[in-house]
Amino acid sequence: MVWEHNLPRDNRTNVASPANYHAWLEAESFSELAAFVPYSATLTGDGEPERVGVVRAAPALFSILGVRGHVGRLLAPGDAVLDHGFWQRRFGGDPDVLGRSVNLNGDLYEVVGVLPAAFDFEPPQAFNSTGTEDVWLPLVTDPTIRGRYLQVVGRLAPGVGREQADAELDVIAGRYEEEAADWNAGYRVNVVTLYEQVVGEARALILVLFGAVAIVLLIAAANVANLLLARATRRERELAVRVAIGAPGARVIRLLLIESLLLGLAGGALGVAMALGAVRLLIALGPDIPRLGEVGVDGTVLTFAFGVSVCTALLFGTLPALRAARPDLGEALKEGGARGGSRRGVVRARHALVVAELAMSLSLLAGAGLLLRSFQTLLGEGVGLDTERLLTANVQLSGNVYADSDRAPFFEELVDRVAALPGVSSAAVITALPLSGMGIGTSFFDPDRPLPEAGGLPVADIRPVHREYHRTMGIPLIAGRTFDDRDGGDAPTTVVISAATAAEVFPGVDPIGRRIAMPWGDTLVAEVIGVVGDVRHEGPGTDVRSKLYWDHRQFQEFSFMTLVARTSSDPTAILPGIRREVRSMDPDLPVYSVRTMEGYLSDSVARNRFALVAFVAFAAVALALSVVGVYGVLSYAVSLRTREIGIRVALGAGREAIGAMVLRGIGLVAGLAGAVALTRLLRSLLYGVSPTDPFTLSLMTALLFGTALVASWIPARRAARTDPASVLRGD
């Protein structure tokens, strides 16, 4: 992927202008470059009107991606190529679809091909896109256009690396910056591999979760190793007899490893069976992770599970097998398996495994605790608006049907109709809804002050809105006023700015009555009439950006709007009324992307929530396994050392001393060090909390120690209550 970015802002994914795209075509670092534009259009004709995702693309895009048509051919001027899923859904997979026409926004396109089912190119979505790629149309670009709206993908020439391509395009960008400094100043090029573009921030999350899975596996394997050691000590007399009558040590090792292997394979098979159901839950709960819907238990997963089961069983079964293959025949045959197993080496090994379990459990507990605190901080910060009881829906007017002058009156009437519905307290429209991922930006400046150096203009999000927007969304007014009837289409241009804009452009000065200019056409100048609270457009925890709000009646070229309505009860109950009102105004207009604002808010923190839920689940499993390990090891140690404990009591040792002796050795220092190392890897998933937060680490350490203490209490209590007379009498 090839992006522009503005050096003062270091925006790595700024769309490109056709003028710069045509300049990039000169680059020798690429064998091919292709531009494309995702957007949406209204499909009419057979069936109900539908809003579909459209991608206009240069024909070279498909050859760059190595895609051949499933049916028919690919793009040429005037053609339409259908996505395979859309072809199945809308046309029933009809092979005779070739030659038919599709009506998009009133324009007819001939269907010439269908993409293969395996094609899954998910480009970053642009303003007014639906998030789907249903229909592909050819793109024709004008090299004289300066506006930035293109996304560009290219295939590197043989032997060329990303850095080399980045450097060459930067040289080209520098040359064109000099030729067009009025609009290209400060812009450079950023080349990103398609893999990095698609995976993005999800890679860190997936790797961290994979590490958590590996830790849980190691804890479980340590538990199994402990059980195998215990079992080997119980069978010490049996195995000693085998060796005494001539069985070679290798045969004993093979016997125990086969038993361990069968145990591992049985566990692996059970795990795969559980995974078949767990994968569906993972997909249902998972956030917007690329290609998550394709996850399933396939041959690769089965092979991986088989390999992990075998390797784990052999690795953790080797130590017990080696110890069992070299018994002390004299001690084993004289005292019996139960007492022969009290050798110091075995006890130390089993205690070391328990300490390792506790250390790894503490790492996961610390990670879960930090993610929980981070999530609480994230939700507590908010986004600057009231998301409760807000319903949103997208409506777009066709440019072939509605002239510029007809668009604002249409949305004015729609807002009035929706506001009059029962249960609606207020309604409004906006071009780019917060938390939706869509946005439009522009540079701006204070015309009453000297201009900054080229490329140094501040940049803000621009939001044409209805005059009731801020009240409907619950965005507080800080100073001045918001829009009203004085700000219609024929009135002097006015603007409402966010608090961040006021602080950036008018520091220490009352902004009301000042002017803001945008370099649009002959430069658009507007009077500041109000200051409103900041809104985190991308969700909780994201940066606060400057925002300029304009009355939509003064920007009639916007045909796309999102309707927002605040209700007194369940917001989804008004949806039939909204559809009815839109249909009565224009039966060919679909209402689409209907969602509540709470749904958008939930999606904006979905990745953080998913990491939290997964880590808490892993930490809970790890804690349970560790508790079982602690209890099992100490309980078994007490049973092996009953005679020793009885003698100690007979010699005057107090019960508290005996209990302390059993609990001694459970150290958490290693776990704390591991927790610090792991939580540093979580840095990209944390917000508002340090990876080494002392409160969280202390709390999780206390939780683990307290749980281990409880698990140790029963065997310790049994040891402290040992009756020395009965023990010595039995001996």
Side-chain angles (χ1 to χ4, degrees):
M1 297 289 294
V2 186
W3 302 96
E4 293 192 41
H5 70 132
N6 189 277
L7 289 181
R9 299 184 69 222
D10 195 27
N11 185 348
R12 68 175 281 183
T13 57
N14 195 30
V15 286
S17 69
N20 288 339
Y21 163 62
H22 280 270
W24 297 346
L25 293 175
E26 305 171 9
E28 298 179 355
S29 298
F30 290 90
S31 57
E32 284 185 297
L33 278 173
F36 59 94
V37 182
Y39 67 104
S40 65
T42 300
L43 174 69
T44 55
D46 298 336
E48 289 290 322
E50 180 183 355
R51 199 71 188 172
V52 297
V54 179
V55 182
R56 283 195 177 271
L61 177 68
F62 292 114
S63 62
I64 289 173
L65 299 177
V67 178
R68 298 178 180 273
H70 173 71
V71 176
R73 59 181 173 84
L74 297 181
L75 288 174
D79 293 344
V81 173
L82 306 182
D83 175 76
H84 192 277
F86 178 73
W87 171 56
Q88 294 282 347
R89 176 174 59 81
R90 183 79 184 195
F91 299 96
D94 183 6
D96 295 330
V97 71
L98 301 184
R100 294 173 60 178
S101 296
V102 291
N103 189 324
L104 298 172
N105 289 345
D107 294 324
L108 294 178
Y109 299 88
E110 181 183 357
V111 178
V112 299
V114 177
L115 292 168
F119 178 66
D120 185 22
F121 178 58
E122 298 182 2
Q125 295 304 313
F127 175 73
N128 187 25
S129 63
T130 62
T132 60
E133 297 80 41
D134 300 314
V135 183
W136 295 73
L137 304 177
L139 173 69
V140 178
T141 55
D142 182 350
T144 65
I145 294 179
R146 298 178 170 186
R148 292 177 166 86
Y149 61 90
L150 296 178
Q151 298 184 34
V152 180
V153 67
R155 184 169 292 279
L156 294 171
V160 176
R162 185 193 65 80
E163 294 79 7
Q164 181 180 341
D166 200 57
E168 183 184 8
L169 290 185
D170 237 12
V171 172
I172 295 174
R175 186 169 70 246
Y176 275 81
E177 179 186 19
E178 296 177 359
E179 297 178 7
D182 57 330
W183 65 278
N184 232 6
Y187 278 92
R188 287 293 186 271
V189 180
N190 193 15
V191 178
V192 182
T193 65
L194 187 60
Y195 172 82
E196 181 183 354
Q197 185 69 54
V198 172
V199 174
E201 297 177 356
R203 186 172 186 270
L205 171 61
I206 293 171
L207 290 177
V208 167
L209 293 182
F210 187 82
V213 170
I215 290 175
V216 172
L217 173 64
L218 290 174
I219 293 173
N223 249 353
V224 172
N226 249 324
L227 293 173
L228 292 176
L229 279 172
R231 191 164 183 268
T233 55
R234 283 292 189 186
R235 299 173 61 188
E236 196 167 30
R237 181 177 177 81
E238 169 205 340
L239 298 175
V241 171
R242 289 175 179 265
V243 173
I245 62 177
R251 180 175 297 179
V252 174
I253 293 175
R254 185 168 62 249
L255 169 67
L256 295 180
L257 286 182
I258 289 175
E259 293 177 356
S260 177
L261 185 61
L262 291 175
L263 185 64
L265 291 176
L270 180 59
V272 168
M274 295 173 64
L276 292 172
V279 164
R280 289 191 288 270
L281 181 63
L282 170 71
I283 295 175
L285 297 178
D288 185 21
I289 293 179
R291 309 185 76 168
L292 181 63
E294 300 176 28
V295 172
V297 180
D298 55 12
T300 303
V301 173
L302 292 176
T303 302
F304 177 79
F306 176 79
V308 169
S309 300
V310 171
C311 292
T312 305
L314 294 180
L315 179 63
F316 285 86
T318 300
L319 176 61
L322 290 176
R323 287 193 171 276
R326 297 193 299 269
D328 184 339
L329 296 180
E331 289 295 318
L333 296 176
K334 178 177 63 177
E335 298 190 24
R339 297 191 179 186
S342 60
R343 291 174 299 176
R344 292 177 179 266
V346 175
V347 173
R348 282 197 300 266
R350 298 192 65 205
H351 278 227
L353 287 172
V354 170
V355 170
E357 287 184 52
L358 292 173
M360 291 185 287
S361 297
L362 181 56
S363 299
L364 293 182
L365 282 172
L370 289 171
L371 288 172
L372 179 59
R373 289 202 65 194
S374 173
F375 195 67
Q376 290 174 332
T377 304
L378 200 64
L379 293 183
E381 182 180 71
V383 292
L385 53 89
D386 182 7
T387 60
E388 293 185 359
R389 303 190 310 280
L390 271 177
L391 186 71
T392 73
N394 293 346
V395 177
Q396 177 156 5
L397 308 179
S398 170
N400 295 335
V401 178
Y402 293 87
D404 288 357
S405 59
D406 297 330
R407 295 171 183 174
F410 178 92
F411 288 114
E412 285 286 304
E413 181 181 350
L414 176 60
V415 169
D416 291 341
R417 286 174 175 240
V418 172
L421 291 174
V424 176
S425 57
S426 63
V429 290
I430 182 175
T431 49
L433 188 71
L435 309 181
S436 67
M438 296 188 298
I440 311 172
T442 183
S443 55
F444 69 102
F445 57 92
D446 179 356
D448 301 319
R449 292 183 178 181
L451 289 177
E453 296 181 2
L457 292 178
V459 177
D461 298 332
I462 61 172
R463 300 289 182 263
V465 299
H466 185 271
R467 56 191 172 278
E468 290 292 321
Y469 173 75
H470 296 98
R471 184 172 74 88
T472 301
M473 299 295 284
I475 301 173
L477 176 65
I478 297 175
R481 66 177 179 88
T482 56
F483 302 114
D484 56 29
D485 292 337
R486 290 171 284 179
D487 307 296
D490 298 329
T493 308
T494 54
V495 62
V496 173
I497 64 177
S498 65
T501 311
E504 182 176 15
V505 184
F506 307 110
V509 178
D510 182 6
I512 306 301
R514 302 294 293 266
R515 299 191 303 164
I516 276 183
M518 295 191 306
W520 286 16
D522 296 329
T523 303
L524 179 64
V525 181
E527 178 187 352
V528 178
I529 62 171
V531 179
V532 296
D534 289 318
V535 173
R536 298 181 186 274
H537 189 77
E538 304 299 328
T542 59
D543 294 335
V544 173
R545 299 199 300 261
S546 295
K547 285 184 176 53
L548 307 177
Y549 297 96
W550 309 85
D551 192 304
H552 79 105
R553 293 171 293 181
Q554 298 181 346
F555 287 84
Q556 298 184 19
E557 65 267 26
F558 285 100
S559 61
F560 168 81
M561 286 286 181
T562 297
L563 175 71
V564 293
R566 185 171 295 279
T567 64
S568 56
S569 57
D570 179 13
T572 59
I574 67 170
L575 178 57
I578 293 176
R579 294 191 186 278
R580 183 176 61 253
E581 295 299 336
V582 172
R583 194 179 300 114
S584 67
M585 296 176 67
D586 187 339
D588 288 333
L589 277 185
V591 177
Y592 63 103
S593 297
V594 179
R595 300 195 62 189
T596 64
M597 279 305 299
E598 288 187 327
Y600 278 114
L601 178 61
S602 177
D603 283 353
S604 70
V605 296
R607 189 164 294 177
N608 303 78
R609 183 176 58 247
F610 179 72
L612 171 62
V613 171
F615 242 84
V616 168
F618 292 144
V621 172
L623 182 61
L625 289 172
S626 299
V627 167
V628 170
V630 169
Y631 173 80
V633 167
L634 295 182
S635 180
Y636 188 66
V638 168
S639 68
L640 291 179
R641 301 171 68 184
T642 302
R643 181 173 181 273
E644 172 196 347
I645 293 170
I647 294 174
R648 287 176 177 268
V649 172
L651 294 176
R655 293 187 175 185
E656 294 78 7
I658 299 300
M661 179 196 70
V662 176
L663 294 174
R664 188 174 55 202
I666 301 177
L668 299 175
V669 176
L672 199 56
V676 171
L678 177 66
T679 53
R680 288 188 180 277
L681 300 178
L682 292 173
R683 188 183 298 273
S684 62
L685 302 176
L686 299 178
Y687 178 77
V689 60
S690 167
T692 56
D693 178 55
F695 174 78
T696 303
L697 294 180
S698 300
L699 183 63
M700 292 300 107
T701 302
L703 173 62
L704 181 61
F705 186 79
T707 307
L709 197 64
V710 171
S712 308
W713 180 76
I714 296 177
R717 182 170 177 268
R718 188 168 66 245
R721 292 186 174 183
T722 300
D723 181 5
S726 60
V727 171
L728 296 176
R729 188 184 311 115
D731 190 65

